[in-house]
mmCIF file of all heavy atoms in Angstrom:
data_model
loop_
_atom_site.group_PDB
_atom_site.id
_atom_site.type_symbol
_atom_site.label_atom_id
_atom_site.label_comp_id
_atom_site.label_asym_id
_atom_site.label_seq_id
_atom_site.Cartn_x
_atom_site.Cartn_y
_atom_site.Cartn_z
ATOM 1 N N TYR A 1 -28.838 -9.146 -20.142
ATOM 2 C CA TYR A 1 -27.579 -9.848 -19.876
ATOM 3 C C TYR A 1 -27.426 -9.884 -18.366
ATOM 4 O O TYR A 1 -27.567 -8.859 -17.687
ATOM 5 C CB TYR A 1 -26.419 -9.090 -20.508
ATOM 6 C CG TYR A 1 -25.052 -9.673 -20.241
ATOM 7 C CD1 TYR A 1 -24.580 -10.750 -20.981
ATOM 8 C CD2 TYR A 1 -24.223 -9.148 -19.261
ATOM 9 C CE1 TYR A 1 -23.318 -11.290 -20.744
ATOM 10 C CE2 TYR A 1 -22.965 -9.672 -19.019
ATOM 11 C CZ TYR A 1 -22.517 -10.739 -19.760
ATOM 12 O OH TYR A 1 -21.273 -11.275 -19.524
ATOM 13 N N SER A 2 -27.168 -11.069 -17.825
ATOM 14 C CA SER A 2 -27.099 -11.174 -16.365
ATOM 15 C C SER A 2 -25.896 -12.002 -15.931
ATOM 16 O O SER A 2 -25.390 -12.855 -16.672
ATOM 17 C CB SER A 2 -28.383 -11.804 -15.807
ATOM 18 O OG SER A 2 -28.488 -13.162 -16.191
ATOM 19 N N LEU A 3 -25.438 -11.728 -14.717
ATOM 20 C CA LEU A 3 -24.352 -12.474 -14.098
ATOM 21 C C LEU A 3 -24.742 -12.852 -12.677
ATOM 22 O O LEU A 3 -25.357 -12.052 -11.965
ATOM 23 C CB LEU A 3 -23.072 -11.630 -14.029
ATOM 24 C CG LEU A 3 -22.380 -11.264 -15.337
ATOM 25 C CD1 LEU A 3 -21.211 -10.323 -15.056
ATOM 26 C CD2 LEU A 3 -21.886 -12.507 -16.048
ATOM 27 N N LYS A 4 -24.386 -14.054 -12.271
ATOM 28 C CA LYS A 4 -24.546 -14.498 -10.890
ATOM 29 C C LYS A 4 -23.232 -15.144 -10.494
ATOM 30 O O LYS A 4 -22.892 -16.225 -10.976
ATOM 31 C CB LYS A 4 -25.707 -15.482 -10.752
ATOM 32 C CG LYS A 4 -25.984 -15.874 -9.302
ATOM 33 C CD LYS A 4 -27.200 -16.793 -9.200
ATOM 34 C CE LYS A 4 -27.487 -17.146 -7.743
ATOM 35 N NZ LYS A 4 -28.653 -18.048 -7.634
ATOM 36 N N LEU A 5 -22.485 -14.492 -9.614
ATOM 37 C CA LEU A 5 -21.108 -14.863 -9.341
ATOM 38 C C LEU A 5 -20.920 -15.314 -7.892
ATOM 39 O O LEU A 5 -21.254 -14.591 -6.965
ATOM 40 C CB LEU A 5 -20.182 -13.661 -9.606
ATOM 41 C CG LEU A 5 -20.418 -12.890 -10.911
ATOM 42 C CD1 LEU A 5 -19.525 -11.663 -10.966
ATOM 43 C CD2 LEU A 5 -20.176 -13.802 -12.108
ATOM 44 N N ASP A 6 -20.358 -16.499 -7.718
ATOM 45 C CA ASP A 6 -19.996 -16.951 -6.374
ATOM 46 C C ASP A 6 -18.877 -16.095 -5.805
ATOM 47 O O ASP A 6 -18.817 -15.846 -4.599
ATOM 48 C CB ASP A 6 -19.526 -18.416 -6.398
ATOM 49 C CG ASP A 6 -20.683 -19.393 -6.364
ATOM 50 O OD1 ASP A 6 -21.833 -18.959 -6.160
ATOM 51 O OD2 ASP A 6 -20.436 -20.603 -6.544
ATOM 52 N N SER A 7 -17.953 -15.668 -6.675
ATOM 53 C CA SER A 7 -16.818 -14.858 -6.233
ATOM 54 C C SER A 7 -16.573 -13.742 -7.229
ATOM 55 O O SER A 7 -16.187 -13.989 -8.371
ATOM 56 C CB SER A 7 -15.551 -15.716 -6.106
ATOM 57 O OG SER A 7 -14.400 -14.899 -5.916
ATOM 58 N N ASN A 8 -16.794 -12.525 -6.785
ATOM 59 C CA ASN A 8 -16.554 -11.352 -7.616
ATOM 60 C C ASN A 8 -15.096 -11.301 -8.101
ATOM 61 O O ASN A 8 -14.852 -11.215 -9.304
ATOM 62 C CB ASN A 8 -16.922 -10.103 -6.798
ATOM 63 C CG ASN A 8 -16.693 -8.799 -7.536
ATOM 64 O OD1 ASN A 8 -16.185 -8.765 -8.649
ATOM 65 N ND2 ASN A 8 -17.057 -7.704 -6.898
ATOM 66 N N PRO A 9 -14.089 -11.371 -7.207
ATOM 67 C CA PRO A 9 -12.707 -11.273 -7.695
ATOM 68 C C PRO A 9 -12.283 -12.430 -8.589
ATOM 69 O O PRO A 9 -11.490 -12.236 -9.518
ATOM 70 C CB PRO A 9 -11.869 -11.210 -6.412
ATOM 71 C CG PRO A 9 -12.734 -11.727 -5.344
ATOM 72 C CD PRO A 9 -14.130 -11.379 -5.735
ATOM 73 N N ALA A 10 -12.793 -13.637 -8.348
ATOM 74 C CA ALA A 10 -12.406 -14.775 -9.183
ATOM 75 C C ALA A 10 -12.922 -14.599 -10.611
ATOM 76 O O ALA A 10 -12.208 -14.887 -11.583
ATOM 77 C CB ALA A 10 -12.936 -16.081 -8.590
ATOM 78 N N PHE A 11 -14.153 -14.107 -10.764
ATOM 79 C CA PHE A 11 -14.689 -13.882 -12.105
ATOM 80 C C PHE A 11 -13.983 -12.718 -12.784
ATOM 81 O O PHE A 11 -13.610 -12.798 -13.967
ATOM 82 C CB PHE A 11 -16.195 -13.617 -12.055
ATOM 83 C CG PHE A 11 -16.804 -13.422 -13.416
ATOM 84 C CD1 PHE A 11 -17.106 -14.501 -14.223
ATOM 85 C CD2 PHE A 11 -17.049 -12.141 -13.910
ATOM 86 C CE1 PHE A 11 -17.654 -14.325 -15.492
ATOM 87 C CE2 PHE A 11 -17.598 -11.949 -15.171
ATOM 88 C CZ PHE A 11 -17.899 -13.049 -15.962
ATOM 89 N N THR A 12 -13.800 -11.622 -12.046
ATOM 90 C CA THR A 12 -13.099 -10.472 -12.611
ATOM 91 C C THR A 12 -11.716 -10.880 -13.104
ATOM 92 O O THR A 12 -11.261 -10.451 -14.175
ATOM 93 C CB THR A 12 -12.982 -9.352 -11.568
ATOM 94 O OG1 THR A 12 -14.288 -8.945 -11.169
ATOM 95 C CG2 THR A 12 -12.226 -8.151 -12.115
ATOM 96 N N SER A 13 -11.041 -11.733 -12.348
ATOM 97 C CA SER A 13 -9.710 -12.211 -12.732
ATOM 98 C C SER A 13 -9.754 -12.964 -14.050
ATOM 99 O O SER A 13 -8.864 -12.817 -14.905
ATOM 100 C CB SER A 13 -9.148 -13.126 -11.638
ATOM 101 O OG SER A 13 -9.007 -12.437 -10.418
ATOM 102 N N SER A 14 -10.775 -13.785 -14.245
ATOM 103 C CA SER A 14 -10.906 -14.537 -15.488
ATOM 104 C C SER A 14 -11.111 -13.611 -16.682
ATOM 105 O O SER A 14 -10.597 -13.867 -17.776
ATOM 106 C CB SER A 14 -12.069 -15.530 -15.391
ATOM 107 O OG SER A 14 -11.780 -16.560 -14.467
ATOM 108 N N VAL A 15 -11.850 -12.527 -16.467
ATOM 109 C CA VAL A 15 -12.033 -11.540 -17.533
ATOM 110 C C VAL A 15 -10.700 -10.868 -17.854
ATOM 111 O O VAL A 15 -10.333 -10.689 -19.019
ATOM 112 C CB VAL A 15 -13.089 -10.490 -17.127
ATOM 113 C CG1 VAL A 15 -13.240 -9.437 -18.224
ATOM 114 C CG2 VAL A 15 -14.433 -11.147 -16.849
ATOM 115 N N LEU A 16 -9.947 -10.511 -16.830
ATOM 116 C CA LEU A 16 -8.660 -9.844 -17.030
ATOM 117 C C LEU A 16 -7.697 -10.711 -17.835
ATOM 118 O O LEU A 16 -6.979 -10.217 -18.715
ATOM 119 C CB LEU A 16 -8.032 -9.505 -15.671
ATOM 120 C CG LEU A 16 -8.743 -8.433 -14.838
ATOM 121 C CD1 LEU A 16 -8.130 -8.380 -13.441
ATOM 122 C CD2 LEU A 16 -8.660 -7.074 -15.503
ATOM 123 N N VAL A 17 -7.679 -12.007 -17.552
ATOM 124 C CA VAL A 17 -6.764 -12.912 -18.248
ATOM 125 C C VAL A 17 -7.151 -13.039 -19.725
ATOM 126 O O VAL A 17 -6.289 -13.033 -20.610
ATOM 127 C CB VAL A 17 -6.721 -14.288 -17.551
ATOM 128 C CG1 VAL A 17 -5.973 -15.309 -18.405
ATOM 129 C CG2 VAL A 17 -6.053 -14.158 -16.189
ATOM 130 N N ALA A 18 -8.439 -13.156 -20.014
ATOM 131 C CA ALA A 18 -8.877 -13.238 -21.404
ATOM 132 C C ALA A 18 -8.492 -11.978 -22.171
ATOM 133 O O ALA A 18 -8.029 -12.038 -23.318
ATOM 134 C CB ALA A 18 -10.389 -13.465 -21.474
ATOM 135 N N TYR A 19 -8.647 -10.832 -21.536
ATOM 136 C CA TYR A 19 -8.297 -9.580 -22.207
ATOM 137 C C TYR A 19 -6.788 -9.369 -22.293
ATOM 138 O O TYR A 19 -6.310 -8.657 -23.187
ATOM 139 C CB TYR A 19 -8.996 -8.404 -21.532
ATOM 140 C CG TYR A 19 -10.392 -8.190 -22.082
ATOM 141 C CD1 TYR A 19 -11.495 -8.759 -21.470
ATOM 142 C CD2 TYR A 19 -10.586 -7.443 -23.235
ATOM 143 C CE1 TYR A 19 -12.772 -8.596 -21.987
ATOM 144 C CE2 TYR A 19 -11.856 -7.265 -23.758
ATOM 145 C CZ TYR A 19 -12.943 -7.838 -23.138
ATOM 146 O OH TYR A 19 -14.208 -7.673 -23.670
ATOM 147 N N ALA A 20 -6.038 -9.988 -21.393
ATOM 148 C CA ALA A 20 -4.578 -9.941 -21.519
ATOM 149 C C ALA A 20 -4.143 -10.625 -22.817
ATOM 150 O O ALA A 20 -3.200 -10.189 -23.487
ATOM 151 C CB ALA A 20 -3.919 -10.611 -20.312
ATOM 152 N N ARG A 21 -4.823 -11.695 -23.181
ATOM 153 C CA ARG A 21 -4.551 -12.377 -24.455
ATOM 154 C C ARG A 21 -4.797 -11.407 -25.624
ATOM 155 O O ARG A 21 -3.984 -11.316 -26.558
ATOM 156 C CB ARG A 21 -5.446 -13.608 -24.587
ATOM 157 C CG ARG A 21 -5.280 -14.335 -25.925
ATOM 158 C CD ARG A 21 -6.257 -15.480 -26.074
ATOM 159 N NE ARG A 21 -5.946 -16.573 -25.150
ATOM 160 C CZ ARG A 21 -6.722 -16.944 -24.128
ATOM 161 N NH1 ARG A 21 -7.872 -16.318 -23.902
ATOM 162 N NH2 ARG A 21 -6.370 -17.943 -23.346
ATOM 163 N N ALA A 22 -5.903 -10.691 -25.556
ATOM 164 C CA ALA A 22 -6.222 -9.740 -26.622
ATOM 165 C C ALA A 22 -5.190 -8.624 -26.696
ATOM 166 O O ALA A 22 -4.782 -8.208 -27.789
ATOM 167 C CB ALA A 22 -7.619 -9.156 -26.394
ATOM 168 N N VAL A 23 -4.755 -8.128 -25.552
ATOM 169 C CA VAL A 23 -3.753 -7.061 -25.525
ATOM 170 C C VAL A 23 -2.447 -7.541 -26.141
ATOM 171 O O VAL A 23 -1.795 -6.816 -26.903
ATOM 172 C CB VAL A 23 -3.532 -6.564 -24.081
ATOM 173 C CG1 VAL A 23 -2.269 -5.715 -23.976
ATOM 174 C CG2 VAL A 23 -4.745 -5.756 -23.617
ATOM 175 N N SER A 24 -2.047 -8.764 -25.829
ATOM 176 C CA SER A 24 -0.823 -9.315 -26.411
ATOM 177 C C SER A 24 -0.934 -9.379 -27.933
ATOM 178 O O SER A 24 -0.002 -8.994 -28.662
ATOM 179 C CB SER A 24 -0.558 -10.709 -25.836
ATOM 180 O OG SER A 24 0.586 -11.293 -26.425
ATOM 181 N N ARG A 25 -2.074 -9.845 -28.424
ATOM 182 C CA ARG A 25 -2.264 -9.955 -29.879
ATOM 183 C C ARG A 25 -2.269 -8.585 -30.549
ATOM 184 O O ARG A 25 -1.643 -8.388 -31.600
ATOM 185 C CB ARG A 25 -3.582 -10.685 -30.166
ATOM 186 C CG ARG A 25 -3.538 -12.165 -29.805
ATOM 187 C CD ARG A 25 -4.904 -12.810 -29.955
ATOM 188 N NE ARG A 25 -4.815 -14.258 -29.780
ATOM 189 C CZ ARG A 25 -5.869 -15.074 -29.758
ATOM 190 N NH1 ARG A 25 -7.090 -14.578 -29.908
ATOM 191 N NH2 ARG A 25 -5.707 -16.371 -29.585
ATOM 192 N N MET A 26 -2.958 -7.630 -29.962
ATOM 193 C CA MET A 26 -3.027 -6.299 -30.558
ATOM 194 C C MET A 26 -1.679 -5.595 -30.503
ATOM 195 O O MET A 26 -1.308 -4.855 -31.419
ATOM 196 C CB MET A 26 -4.112 -5.478 -29.855
ATOM 197 C CG MET A 26 -5.519 -6.013 -30.096
ATOM 198 S SD MET A 26 -6.793 -5.148 -29.139
ATOM 199 C CE MET A 26 -6.818 -3.558 -29.963
ATOM 200 N N SER A 27 -0.932 -5.821 -29.436
ATOM 201 C CA SER A 27 0.404 -5.250 -29.332
ATOM 202 C C SER A 27 1.318 -5.806 -30.421
ATOM 203 O O SER A 27 2.092 -5.064 -31.041
ATOM 204 C CB SER A 27 1.000 -5.546 -27.956
ATOM 205 O OG SER A 27 2.342 -5.103 -27.872
#
């Protein structure tokens, strides 16, 4: 599994937002 990222914080942010959706659903 590999990642090549132009922007570390921009990609990390996208992961955080997707998981925020999951947290809302589980809550």
